Amino acid sequence: MVPRFMLHFVSASSGFAVNDIASLNLDKGLYKTTDNGSTWTKVYTKTLDEIFFISEKLGYSSKLTSETNLSSGTYKTTDSGATWDKVNDAAFDKLEFLTEDIGFAVKNSASTNTPKGVYKTTNAGKTWTQVYDKPFTDFDFISEDIGFAVSKSSTTGNSPGTYKSEDGGKTWTEVVDGYFIDLSVVSG
């Protein structure tokens, strides 16, 4: 397993981080900061695969591995990550939410309950609808309609490149012949 340290801020001062390897100064788990990252408090002792927080309290996770006591699926927290409730059996490689209800996710490899592709939920992850049947390496939606995505390999079914969707992920147009290492879009 490749070590990961995921970081997601919900404001200038508050954010969350997942460490999935024990290090000299940091145990595995979910951490929260409310002071611009100066100090971090462990709020959950197990490893999560993917996190996305909408606020200091509300967040989502997708669990893909069996390393923790959580089974594969989509999870939701309403208490800053202290507890997680399973809302669906679908597990994704990446997920993000625009609101408490509307979110997007990508699955890069097919499984029995979730074929690969881009997915959308309009009910807080309770159900997911596949909107595109080819996955991307990374993606970022700035509205319910407009999203950007990166494909780093033609094995995903898309040519390597940077793509844009203007219809909620149903169709994608290549906008850059090449791709970026990481993708984050700021709206406005």
Side-chain angles (χ1 to χ4, degrees):
M1 173 185 276
V2 176
R4 293 169 303 161
F5 189 85
M6 291 175 282
L7 187 65
H8 183 80
F9 272 76
V10 295
S11 70
S13 60
S14 297
F16 296 86
V18 171
N19 183 33
D20 75 352
I21 59 166
S23 66
L24 294 175
N25 300 319
L26 199 59
D27 293 328
K28 290 182 179 183
L30 175 67
Y31 292 80
K32 180 181 179 182
T33 182
T34 57
D35 61 3
N36 307 309
S38 295
T39 60
W40 292 86
T41 303
K42 187 186 241 184
V43 294
Y44 190 70
T45 59
K46 305 294 183 187
T47 303
L48 301 166
D49 282 354
E50 176 67 28
I51 60 167
F52 192 90
F53 278 81
I54 294 175
S55 68
E56 287 189 41
K57 299 276 185 194
L58 178 62
Y60 293 89
S61 177
S62 187
K63 180 71 185 133
L64 295 169
T65 66
S66 59
E67 184 179 321
T68 71
N69 60 346
L70 298 177
S71 60
S72 290
T74 304
Y75 289 82
K76 179 180 180 180
T77 182
T78 57
D79 59 7
S80 301
T83 60
W84 294 87
D85 295 315
K86 189 172 189 177
V87 295
N88 191 296
D89 287 333
F92 299 100
D93 294 289
K94 181 173 180 174
L95 56 79
E96 69 176 37
F97 280 75
L98 299 171
T99 68
E100 180 176 353
D101 293 322
I102 298 171
F104 290 90
V106 68
K107 178 77 171 161
N108 288 320
S109 59
S111 64
T112 55
N113 65 341
T114 313
K116 63 183 178 178
V118 178
Y119 290 80
K120 180 180 180 181
T121 182
T122 57
N123 60 5
K126 292 176 187 155
T127 59
W128 292 90
T129 302
Q130 186 180 43
V131 293
Y132 189 68
D133 65 354
K134 296 178 185 120
F136 288 100
T137 310
D138 196 6
F139 73 94
D140 198 0
F141 276 83
I142 60 172
S143 73
E144 197 170 344
D145 293 320
I146 299 174
F148 294 85
V150 169
S151 178
K152 294 181 183 177
S153 168
S154 58
T155 60
T156 64
N158 300 302
S159 298
T162 302
Y163 294 80
K164 180 179 182 182
S165 176
E166 296 181 308
D167 60 5
K170 294 174 188 162
T171 61
W172 296 85
T173 303
E174 188 172 14
V175 293
V176 177
D177 184 15
Y179 60 86
F180 300 98
I181 300 299
D182 195 11
L183 184 66
S184 185
V185 179
V186 178
S187 62

